[in-house]
Structure formats: C-alpha cells, structure tokens
C-alpha cells in the first residue's frame, strides 16, 4: 500500500502505524472531544470507529485510506471555503485604519472608532474616508467600488455627502462627521456581512436536523448488520462486521453537512462582489419561491432627483409669496421633493424667522413660523401656520386646492388657512429601469407591481412606460402593506424593493425586503433582507439569478449525495462493495460536492 513494505514484521506494522497516526490524529482527537457529549454520533465518530474496526479485522490499508481520503476531502473543503471567504473578507477589510481630525487648533491622527459627531476630518487624495459626513470644503472624485461595486468614480464637493470606507481620489476634502464610526455605512455593512454567514437557510437547518437523526439511525443499522445475520447463521461475524463497516463509511453525511452551507456561503460572497449584501442563505430560499415583485417609485424606479418644473400661484397670490411659503415649510423635510423645492426657492427664505413643526409621513409638512419683527403698535407678529403636501392633506385641513393635471409630482401650499397654489416637480425614470423589468421577467417573474404615495397621474406614467403589471398610487406607508396583500394574498411569495426610508412597514411585511441605495440609509440595513448598495434596479435581477443558481447547486449536491450513498449502502450490505468503494462513495462524493458548491462563488 503506497509503497509500504509487507504488513508482517515489526517494520511493516510500525510504518503502517505511523501512516495511520499521521492521517487520523485530528479526526481521532475531534471524536474523543465529543465522545462524552450528547452529539457524539457525528462524522468524526463514524470515521474513527470504522477505521479502528477495520484494523481489528486486518484491513489496515483500507483503514489508512479511510482517514487519508477523509483528510483530502477536508482540504478541498477548506480551499473552496477560503475562496468564498475572500469575497466576504474584501468587504470587511474596508474599515479605515486612521482618521485625521482637527482638534485643539491642530490636526491629530486617531482611530476611526474615536471619531464623534461634529468632528472635522481631513482626507487627503488617495486615502480612505474614515466616516460618513458632510463635505465642508474641497472637491474631488470618490471611488465607491469597495462598497457598491460601481467602477465609475462619483464627484463630490462642498455640501455633498461622503461615506466611510470609500476612497478619496484626487482632491483634499474637509468633512464634518455625521456620527460615530459604529453608525457609519461601512460599519453597518460590516456587521451585516458578519451576521449573514450565521443565518442559516431552511435547507441548511433541514440538513443539520436530518444529520442529527440520520447518523444514529445508520449506526444502529450497521450494528444490526454486524450482529443479526451471524446469529441467524447467515455467515461469519467477521464477514458481516466488514459489511457493517462499509455501511458506516458510506453513510457519513460529510457531503451534505459540508457542501450545503458552503454553497450558500459562496452565493453570499458572489452577491457581495456584485454590490448586493444578503442577510443569510434564507434569502436565497425565499427568492426561489417569489412569484410577485413590488417596487416603490421615487428613488427606486425613478432617479429621486427632482427639479421644480412650474409654480402655479392661486388667484391673488404672487409667485414669490408661493415660493416663500413653500421653502419655509419644506425646510423641515428631507424628502427628495422637499429638497428640490427648498433648493429652487432658497433666495426667498426670509431672514430672522424661527420654524417649528415636522413631516407627516405620506401627507406633507405642517409647520409654524414666527418673526422677530414687530407690528406698528410694538407687539410681536403672530405665528403663521403653513401646510405643504398632497391634495388629500389639503382636504384634511379644509383647504380647497386647485386640481393639477399632468404626470408630475405636485405639492400644494397653504399659509394661515389660505390656499397659496401648487408647485409641479418632475422626476425622471432611471435609464436602467426598463432593462431591470425585462431581466426580472427573464428570471421567471411575470407579475411586477408598483406601490407609490405619489399622484395617480405620475405613477400611471411611470408604470405605462415600464410595462408594469399594475400599480397603486396615493398610498400612505401603512396602506402600501394593504395594497400589497390585495394584489398578492400570499405575502411570503412576494418581494418588495424600496428606498428603506418611508417603506419600512412593507419592507418588513414582504417575504423578502430589498432596500435600494443602502449607503446612508440606516433603516434599510435594519429592516431589509438584502441591500443594493448602489441605486441600480438591475441588481434585483442579479440577485434573483444568484439565488436561483445557488439553490440549483445546493439541490444538485443533495440529490447526488443521497443517490450515490443509497446505492453503495445497498451494495455494501449485499457484499458487492468493499471499503475501497465505500471510500469513493463517502470522500469522493464529498469532494465532488464541495467542488460543485464552489461554483456558487462565480455565480
């Protein structure tokens, strides 16, 4: 065996003993560690018992082979796992090493973990940006590929937002930290990726549970094969013990226990390289069962970058009065529509006023502002109530709004109970939205819907241009959940794609929640099952393809392993297959399954 001398004589036995010890020590050690626990019936026990029993009946070469090839299988497993792990590790290594902070009149280099909200950070060309924040000074291009996979640099200047973990390419930037490092995008992403591997899919949980009962059952069956036939005078004990050992070796669940998690692990790594973070293998199983996909409109299928198209004042109201009222109210909102209005009418914002109030989700903004100026009699001017929002919001507050036509978003404005007019804001469809819808249908999902809080005219225009199955418009966040359940009664077979800001309830209700533009969106990372780091809706189709490929590979391994093992177990019981064939049926199949599972890293 492998050039070793004859087994007879001290020299032969000694070399065999050395070979067996070298191949089996880690396995025997693991078996001994679990021997006195309730889970001792594992693959280590099977391999150890089978090899030692083979030595006892004089099958020393076969005993060494069992251990040797089992170790080879583990080596292939580790090689494949390392390849998958590198994909994940590349994200985890995006944590910056240092932050250059302005403190006490000078610049200090500290750990990113020590940066606090409001600190001013200096980032030189070629350095990693250590923290999320607002650019105060400078202009540069930023490489976001370490986080999003997007190869084209993004231009940024004063007033723009920078994200930790990205790379400043060619300009000096001064950035005000928007929070601590643990609140930054890169920290949240790293935490999600680390947790993803621990979240098992239903298939993985089934295999783990199956192995827990399967292994003791096989041990009991092997004991019966070794004992019962000799008692019935069907042959010698040594012969049936050998067949029982064949059964033990063949039945080892290594191929399943190793390759199934590895397949999902590889799929998670492939998705991360494509700029999609997946919170565990369970997402792939759920996507395989998905029959309907729902999209948000603003910021998902459209750019979410609005521009004021037209301001239409009510009779007796000037354009400046309408713009001033609108900019005061919308200064309290971070909605893309509000930001576009605030930007367009910023010169009309009055000086010396204080504004209070806030945004009412799905409706608009209710504000109150006061001025330090006095009336002619010396008294302070009274506070003025402002409303800015959709037509329904005006009706709720007994304001008669003018009906606006067209397919653009409309914001109605009222001041002190008086209707001031409306502002039309346009939003363009993303260039790749149509391709995304086509690719999703190529993945086998025909029913694609859109749920939006925008006006029916605006939503209808987008749905018609993209060829969507149906849409619902004018929805509040909680109404999106009702609409989704009406269109698709089985919510477990649905996926919702939104921006993770106003879509929290429906993201949590859908079978799979997919958040667009995870950078900077804390709610997206917390609620969703998968996060698309850039803003491309085509990544939804990419995720579907990776999920389908990963699941296909996983079930190929399950079918192949169970089929081959069942065949060789039967051959072993009938004495047709020996330990050499058992080694192939166990270790050989495990190696093939591991190599097949490694294909998911290239999904």
């Amino acid at each position: 065996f492998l050039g070793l001398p004859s087994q007879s004589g001290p020299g032969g036995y000694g070399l065999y003993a050395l070979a067996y010890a070298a191949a089996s020590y880690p396995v025997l050690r693991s078996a001994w560690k679990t021997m006195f626990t309730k889970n001792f019936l594992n693959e280590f026990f099977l391999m150890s018992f089978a090899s030692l029993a083979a030595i006892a009946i004089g099958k020393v070469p076969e005993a060494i082979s069992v251990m040797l090839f089992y170790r080879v299988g583990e080596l292939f497993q580790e090689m494949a796992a390392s390849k998958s792990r590198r994909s994940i590790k590349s994200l985890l290594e995006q944590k910056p090493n240092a932050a250059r902070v302005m403190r006490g009149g000078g610049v200090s280099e500290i750990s990113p973990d020590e940066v606090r909200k409001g600190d001013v950070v200096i980032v030189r060309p070629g350095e990693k940006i250590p923290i999320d924040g607002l650019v105060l000074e400078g202009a540069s291009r930023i490489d976001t590929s370490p986080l999003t996979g997007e190869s084209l640099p993004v231009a940024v200047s004063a007033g723009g937002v920078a994200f930790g973990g990205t790379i400043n390419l060619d300009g000096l930037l001064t950035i005000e930290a928007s929070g601590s490092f643990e609140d930054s995008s890169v920290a949240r992403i790293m935490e999600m990726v680390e947790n993803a591997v621990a979240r098992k899919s239903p298939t993985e949980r089934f295999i783990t549970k199956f192995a827990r009962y399967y292994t003791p059952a096989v041990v009991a069956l092997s004991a019966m094969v070794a004992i019962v036939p000799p008692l019935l005078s069907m042959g010698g004990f040594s012969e049936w013990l050998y067949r029982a050992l064949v059964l033990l070796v063949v039945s080892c669940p290594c191929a399943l226990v190793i390759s199934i998690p590895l397949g999902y692990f590889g799929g998670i790594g492939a998705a991360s390289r494509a700029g999609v973070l997946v919170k565990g293998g369970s997402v792939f199983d759920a996507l395989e069962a998905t029959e309907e996909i729902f999209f948000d409109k603003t910021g998902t299928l459209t750019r979410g970058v609005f521009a004021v198209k037209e301001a239409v004042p009510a009779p007796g109201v000037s354009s400046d009065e309408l713009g001033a009222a609108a900019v005061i109210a919308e200064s309290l909102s971070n909605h893309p529509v509000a930001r576009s209005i605030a930007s367009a009418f910023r010169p009309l914002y009055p000086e010396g006023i204080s504004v209070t109030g806030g945004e009412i989700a799905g409706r608009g903004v209710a504000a109150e502002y006061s001025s330090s100026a006095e009336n002619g009699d010396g008294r302070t001017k009274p506070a003025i109530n402002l409303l800015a929002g959709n037509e329904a919001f005006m009706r709720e507050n007994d304001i008669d709004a003018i009906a606006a036509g067209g397919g653009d978003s409309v914001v109605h404005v009222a001041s002190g109970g008086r209707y001031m007019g409306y502002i039309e804001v346009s939003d363009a469809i993303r260039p790749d939205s149509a391709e995304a819808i086509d690719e999703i249908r190529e993945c086998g999902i025909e029913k694609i819907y859109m749920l939006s809080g925008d006006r029916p005219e605006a939503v209808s225009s987008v749905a018609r241009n993209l060829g969507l199955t149906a849409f619902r418009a004018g929805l509040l966040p909680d109404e999106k959940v009702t609409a989704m359940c009406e269109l698709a009664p089985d919510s477990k077979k649905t996926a919702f794609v939104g921006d993770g800001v106003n879509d929290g309830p429906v993201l949590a209700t859908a079978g799979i929640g997919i958040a667009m533009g995870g950078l900077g969106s804390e709610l997206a990372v917390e609620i969703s099952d998968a996060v698309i780091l850039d803003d491309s809706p085509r990544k939804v189709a990419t995720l579907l393809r990776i999920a389908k490929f990963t699941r296909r590979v996983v079930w190929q391994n399950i079918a192949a392993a169970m089929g081959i093992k069942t065949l060789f177990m039967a051959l072993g019981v009938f004495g047709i297959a020996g330990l050499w064939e058992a080694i192939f049926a166990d270790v050989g199949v495990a190696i093939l399954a591991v190599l097949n599972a490694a294909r998911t890293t290239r999904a």
Side-chain angles (χ1 to χ4, degrees), residues 247-537:
L247 188 61
L248 276 180
V249 173
V250 172
S251 63
C252 183
C254 303
L256 296 176
V257 175
I258 292 171
S259 67
I260 306 307
L262 183 61
Y264 284 107
F265 191 42
I268 292 171
S272 70
R273 286 201 310 276
V276 183
L277 299 187
V278 178
K279 291 186 177 180
S282 57
V283 176
F284 294 146
D285 285 357
L287 283 171
E288 178 71 15
T290 298
E291 296 178 355
E292 294 102 356
I293 289 187
F294 293 80
F295 280 91
D296 177 41
K297 180 180 79 73
T298 305
T300 302
L301 292 175
T302 62
R303 288 182 179 273
V305 179
F306 292 83
V308 172
K309 182 178 180 181
E310 185 180 10
V312 181
V317 178
S318 69
S319 296
D320 284 355
E321 288 176 320
L322 171 61
V327 72
I328 294 172
E330 298 292 28
S331 66
L332 297 176
S333 173
N334 284 321
H335 191 280
V337 171
R339 290 200 301 267
S340 68
I341 292 175
S343 175
F345 297 104
R346 184 172 288 114
L348 299 178
Y349 192 91
E351 295 182 2
I353 65 169
S354 61
V355 185
T356 59
E359 187 172 4
I360 302 174
R363 289 176 171 83
V365 176
E368 185 179 87
Y369 80 96
S370 58
S371 172
S372 58
E374 298 180 347
N375 292 317
D377 56 6
R379 290 181 299 172
T380 304
K381 291 182 178 180
I384 299 176
N385 295 320
L386 290 176
L387 300 173
N390 55 32
E391 191 173 343
F393 188 41
M394 295 293 117
R395 287 197 302 269
E396 291 174 4
N397 290 276
D398 299 322
I399 304 293
D400 293 327
I402 300 174
D408 296 313
S409 298
V410 174
V411 176
H412 297 272
V413 182
S415 176
R418 177 191 181 192
Y419 182 65
M420 305 294 287
Y422 66 85
I423 299 171
E424 286 190 1
V425 180
S426 62
D427 182 20
I429 297 175
R430 292 185 184 278
D432 55 351
S433 289
E435 295 177 3
I437 301 302
D438 291 340
E439 291 180 13
I440 289 171
R441 288 203 166 103
E442 289 174 3
C443 292
I445 297 178
E446 293 295 332
K447 297 178 181 179
I448 306 175
Y449 305 97
M450 182 165 57
L451 306 177
S452 176
D454 210 342
R455 298 168 60 244
E457 295 86 352
V459 180
S460 174
S461 175
V462 174
R464 185 174 57 254
N465 288 332
L466 296 178
L468 301 182
T469 305
F471 69 90
R472 295 287 187 273
L475 301 174
L476 298 175
D478 57 319
E479 292 174 339
K480 288 185 177 182
V481 175
T482 303
M484 183 180 71
C485 293
E486 290 175 354
L487 292 168
D490 189 354
S491 62
K492 292 182 179 179
K493 296 184 178 181
T494 64
F496 182 84
V497 187
D499 60 11
V501 179
N502 294 321
D503 299 318
V506 69
L507 276 170
T509 303
I512 288 294
I514 304 173
M516 292 280 290
L519 288 179
S521 177
E522 186 172 349
L523 185 63
V525 175
E526 294 297 327
I527 292 182
S528 61
D529 300 291
V531 180
I532 297 173
L533 292 177
D534 60 12
D535 294 326
S536 174

Side-chain angles (χ1 to χ4, degrees), residues 572-595:
V573 171
F574 288 103
I576 300 174
L579 274 176
W580 290 109
E581 290 81 3
I583 291 169
F584 165 76
D586 174 42
V587 181
V589 171
I591 292 174
L592 292 176
V594 166
L595 294 177

Side-chain angles (χ1 to χ4, degrees), residues 170-184:
D170 44 28
L172 182 69
L173 294 177
T174 303
I175 302 171
E176 181 182 355
S178 59
S180 61
F181 178 79
E182 63 184 16
D183 297 325
S184 67

Side-chain angles (χ1 to χ4, degrees), residues 118-207:
D119 282 343
V120 177
V121 180
I122 306 297
V123 185
R124 296 171 180 170
E127 294 181 342
K128 281 184 183 177
I129 298 174
I131 200 78
D132 290 4
L134 180 71
V135 177
L136 299 179
E137 296 178 5
S140 182
R141 293 178 306 145
I142 294 177
D143 178 9
T144 63
S145 62
L147 298 184
T148 66
E150 174 58 54
S151 59
L152 294 176
V154 176
V156 67
S157 57
V161 178
F163 297 104
T166 58
I167 300 172
N168 179 26
L169 293 180
D170 44 28
L172 182 69
L173 294 177
T174 303
I175 302 171
E176 181 182 355
S178 59
S180 61
F181 178 79
E182 63 184 16
D183 297 325
S184 67
S185 299
V186 67
R188 294 198 307 271
I189 289 170
M190 289 191 298
E191 180 182 3
M192 192 174 80
V193 172
E194 289 172 333
N195 293 338
V197 180
R199 292 182 57 175
K200 289 188 174 182
S201 72
T203 306
E204 289 178 280
R205 290 195 296 270
F206 167 75
I207 292 300

